[in-house]
Amino acid sequence: MSVSEDSKNLIIPGDILACERDNQTVDIIGQGIYLSFENHLYNNNKLYPTHVGIENYTTKNNKVIATLDYNSKRYIPQQGDYVIATVTNNYSTHFLCTLNNFSSTVTLPYANFPQATKKNRPKYENGDLVYCRVKTVDTDLPAELECMDSETGNKDGFGLLEQEKSKHTAVLDCSLAYARELLFNDKGFPLLSDMVKKNLSFEVAIGVNGKIWISTASLLETLCVYKILSKCEKSNRDSILQIIEETVTEYVKE
Amino acid sequence: MAKDLEISNIEKKFIFDLLASSQRLDGRKSLLEQRNLNIVITPNKFGDIYIEYKRLDGSIATRLHCKVTSEVVKPKAQRPFEGTFFINCEFNGLAGLNFENYKVGSNSDEFYYGRLIESMILRSNALDLEQLCIIAGLKVWNIRVDVHVLEFDGGFLELASIGCMTSLLHYRRPDVTVRNEKVTVHSFDEKEGVKLGVLHIPIALQFNLFQLKETAEIIKSNSSIENNELVALDCTLKEDLLKDGEFIIALNKNREIVQLNKPGGLPIAALKLIQFAHMALPIIEEITSKMLKAIEIDERQRNKYGHLLSAENDRYAG
């Protein structure tokens, strides 16, 4: 028996997930689902929903991925998430970073950079933004980030989000569901491609911890992109094009 | 557990660049533009006021609740003819997670701004304390204003001063009669409440200063320190964390400067003081008229049936 891929049930913490009810094995768990280790010996670990949301099952490479689509402002690190971290302090072995305002810190060890040696350590200042991935999450320890693909040792696009001289950069805080939607669902929510179609040229990096980094050539363009992204968070999907048009004429008058 | 607001270098630079080209992150197009002020007076209550700053898109940025209460107490020994007045400001986790396990000390913001407003009202004699005396040396009224922050995105000082003055203007204390040293406090059903003696309406305004050139650069090039600042009104929380100095001025609409405060930070030219005072005046006038209008509307609501009880005859002019 397999869990149907289009079952869209609203789940409240305390409910039983469909995969749990049907005894379906899940290979990868995503956001909003907690794997309880309470019966480790008897190999009957249980999956529990941690948020209110819609459960979602997809199959990729013969692996069933279970996620719970929910919205929240507070990010709780989960393994494998692509995040934008702010460096707040550095020690002899690691950087201390925050993923969220007002939340506990996470670590970014120097060993988790490509070609790391004892002498070759990255020089980041406090307040720099780093694009990285959550490596491990432990209940008793701060989460650990990595700045490379640990399987291949490549850089893979991770690293410092730089502030180039000729460019204007900004970072926007948004809700978690919005960041995920922008990152993973470009077909269903084509905001970024719509913006490119309107002749806005910009670089963007999205962290699922609710941070969007923008970089464009001029200050007003950056503000324009910033405004579009923050306005579209709370508006209807049909009005996206209108918002883009209005904001572009307001800030970039050409 | 709860940490402070962390602002990344990129965000810092972005906000500062925007200010330098007179844009604001919340959509305002000028440094001297304030957010929309909204005063909500709770009906059927005296001196219970919600006061808020609204962003351009209509969402609430900052929201305060001001409430006046009064009780009969023994006066201070040095001032037997005067009532007492006290402002209690409170930030808590409701206003933002940065205020969770926040310690109230002599150097915390709420203490500083609370004292500032209290001294603004007391030293300028805006609230007549002698009217609060019931029996000299024995019984006086103690007026207490509680200011609670319900939502916070900067602009606390202005809102708190407006809120305090509006609630003091609006408040009515119970009437008292004294007979043979025996004090009777009448409930509002027995006797109409008595308004507090508010003699004038001071309002505080905070000018936020941002440094344009680095200090080292000025010393090197030996240029003057004048015009090295950006002046912004009504900063948001993020802008507030980035500012290099502040200048607080309290004025009333009679063009009297009640209080000046420049607690360190970026130095400014002395003549700027006058310039700031002139800049503040139209803003203060506008705010004062808004306050009085809100109270007048509320008064009209309360006395909806007042004309039915009136014994006045209709008069027709000539």
Side-chain angles (χ1 to χ4, degrees), chain B residues 8-267:
Chain B
S8 57
N9 296 345
I10 285 177
E11 204 163 11
K12 258 181 213 170
K13 189 167 179 293
F14 181 55
I15 291 174
F16 195 79
D17 284 350
L18 282 180
L19 285 172
S21 60
S22 61
Q23 295 270 355
R24 303 289 275 272
L25 207 52
D26 56 1
R28 281 176 278 169
K29 292 258 164 72
S30 150
L31 295 185
L32 299 177
E33 191 182 333
Q34 283 185 299
R35 287 170 284 192
N36 292 330
L37 177 71
N38 190 16
I39 302 171
V40 184
I41 300 176
T42 318
N44 305 325
K45 274 184 187 167
F46 289 121
D48 189 341
I49 278 160
Y50 289 92
I51 188 153
E52 53 206 24
Y53 265 143
K54 280 188 173 173
R55 294 197 192 92
L56 285 177
D57 59 354
S59 60
I60 290 169
T62 309
R63 192 159 198 245
L64 304 186
H65 175 222
C66 297
K67 184 165 171 59
V68 186
T69 46
S70 60
E71 56 178 342
V72 180
V73 294
K74 201 172 184 294
K76 288 173 194 160
Q78 314 97 300
R79 295 175 180 277
F81 300 105
E82 288 183 2
T84 49
F85 176 67
F86 177 65
I87 293 181
N88 175 39
C89 288
E90 224 162 271
F91 281 99
N92 56 15
L94 207 65
L97 279 167
N98 35 347
F99 298 113
E100 208 144 278
N101 36 355
Y102 176 79
K103 283 197 187 93
V104 183
S106 52
N107 54 0
S108 61
D109 268 7
E110 61 189 68
F111 188 83
Y112 171 58
Y113 288 128
R115 282 319 84 140
L116 213 68
I117 295 165
E118 201 177 293
S119 71
M120 171 186 98
I121 292 172
L122 277 184
R123 293 207 194 141
S124 72
N125 212 10
L127 179 70
D128 190 6
L129 292 177
E130 283 179 14
Q131 281 186 27
L132 298 172
C133 178
I134 304 168
I135 302 172
L138 282 177
K139 277 182 174 152
V140 291
W141 284 106
N142 173 35
I143 303 291
R144 173 195 171 104
V145 187
D146 283 288
V147 182
H148 286 269
V149 184
L150 306 179
E151 220 153 319
F152 188 61
D153 190 10
F156 174 74
L157 181 74
E158 285 98 335
L159 278 189
S161 71
I162 297 165
C164 282
M165 287 320 293
T166 319
S167 49
L168 285 176
L169 274 173
H170 184 255
Y171 184 69
R172 280 160 198 234
R173 63 171 171 83
D175 203 357
V176 285
T177 44
V178 184
R179 194 167 289 162
N180 301 334
E181 298 233 328
K182 198 177 167 233
V183 179
T184 326
V185 179
H186 299 284
S187 71
F188 290 125
D189 299 333
E190 281 175 54
K191 268 190 171 182
E192 191 94 327
V194 181
K195 280 195 171 185
L196 298 177
V198 178
L199 304 179
H200 63 106
I201 308 167
I203 290 166
L205 202 63
Q206 183 172 349
F207 290 91
N208 300 285
L209 308 170
F210 295 88
Q211 192 168 6
L212 271 178
K213 269 187 257 167
E214 294 279 321
T215 319
E217 209 176 300
I218 295 170
I219 295 169
K220 240 184 237 169
S221 62
N222 215 357
S223 55
S224 69
I225 58 154
E226 273 176 49
N227 295 325
N228 184 34
E229 74 266 330
L230 287 171
V231 182
L233 275 177
D234 189 14
C235 278
T236 61
L237 184 57
K238 277 179 183 167
E239 288 164 351
D240 207 65
L241 288 173
L242 300 181
K243 74 181 178 215
D244 298 302
E246 60 189 20
F247 175 76
I248 295 163
I249 185 167
L251 281 177
N252 60 18
K253 68 170 184 182
N254 313 332
R255 299 174 153 259
E256 290 164 334
I257 294 177
V258 169
Q259 196 171 40
L260 283 175
N261 202 350
K262 172 83 181 65
L266 190 67

Side-chain angles (χ1 to χ4, degrees), chain A residues 4-240:
Chain A
S4 70
E5 289 203 358
D6 46 43
S7 71
K8 296 273 181 199
N9 293 327
L10 180 72
I11 294 287
I12 296 169
D15 284 356
I16 297 165
L17 290 167
C19 58
E20 203 51 35
R21 193 182 57 225
D22 304 342
N23 258 337
Q24 165 80 20
T25 39
V26 172
D27 302 298
I28 300 168
I29 53 171
Q31 77 275 356
I33 296 175
Y34 173 68
L35 174 64
S36 147
F37 290 103
E38 52 198 68
N39 287 322
H40 196 60
L41 277 177
Y42 305 103
N43 197 19
N44 76 12
N45 300 332
K46 281 194 168 162
L47 295 177
Y48 293 114
T50 56
H51 288 79
V52 179
I54 292 161
E55 61 178 332
N56 215 343
Y57 298 95
T58 46
T59 319
K60 219 179 202 178
N61 302 336
N62 283 330
K63 281 181 175 173
V64 180
I65 306 168
T67 53
L68 192 70
D69 290 336
Y70 68 96
N71 195 6
S72 156
K73 276 181 169 177
R74 190 180 199 85
Y75 176 72
I76 295 155
Q78 264 193 323
Q79 200 171 345
D81 277 354
Y82 293 83
V83 291
I84 294 176
T86 316
V87 178
T88 54
N89 214 339
N90 53 347
Y91 291 99
S92 57
T93 53
H94 62 275
F95 291 115
L96 267 193
C97 304
T98 51
L99 297 177
N100 234 349
N101 279 326
F102 323 125
S103 65
S104 50
T105 50
V106 294
T107 58
L108 175 58
Y110 297 143
N112 290 358
F113 283 88
Q115 279 123 34
T117 54
K118 265 193 171 175
K119 281 179 185 166
N120 180 20
R121 66 155 67 166
K123 286 190 181 66
Y124 294 166
E125 283 170 25
N126 291 352
D128 277 350
L129 290 178
V130 189
Y131 192 64
C132 42
R133 186 161 65 180
V134 180
K135 190 183 181 191
T136 50
V137 179
D138 199 307
T139 42
D140 305 322
L141 288 170
E144 192 179 318
L145 305 176
E146 61 176 355
C147 245
M148 60 173 181
D149 192 336
S150 44
E151 279 168 19
T152 59
N154 290 336
K155 199 184 171 194
D156 256 11
F158 295 117
L160 185 68
L161 292 171
E162 274 173 277
Q163 208 167 358
E164 286 171 41
K165 275 261 159 82
S166 56
K167 297 247 174 156
H168 287 270
T169 47
V171 67
L172 162 74
D173 290 316
C174 63
S175 69
L176 303 187
Y178 185 64
R180 279 197 294 268
E181 197 84 327
L182 284 177
L183 194 58
F184 301 122
N185 193 10
D186 199 44
K187 280 203 184 95
F189 186 62
L191 172 61
L192 291 175
S193 27
D194 278 346
M195 280 159 75
V196 176
K197 275 180 207 155
K198 290 285 169 193
N199 289 331
L200 279 168
S201 60
F202 58 93
E203 273 181 82
V204 69
I206 301 164
V208 287
N209 57 336
K211 279 198 180 355
I212 304 173
W213 172 86
I214 315 155
S215 171
T216 70
S218 78
L219 184 66
L220 280 182
E221 255 177 282
T222 313
L223 186 61
C224 179
V225 174
Y226 186 99
K227 281 281 157 196
I228 292 171
L229 287 174
S230 59
K231 273 183 195 166
C232 286
E233 184 179 354
K234 282 165 189 160
S235 59
N236 204 342
R237 278 187 193 195
D238 308 328
S239 57
I240 287 176

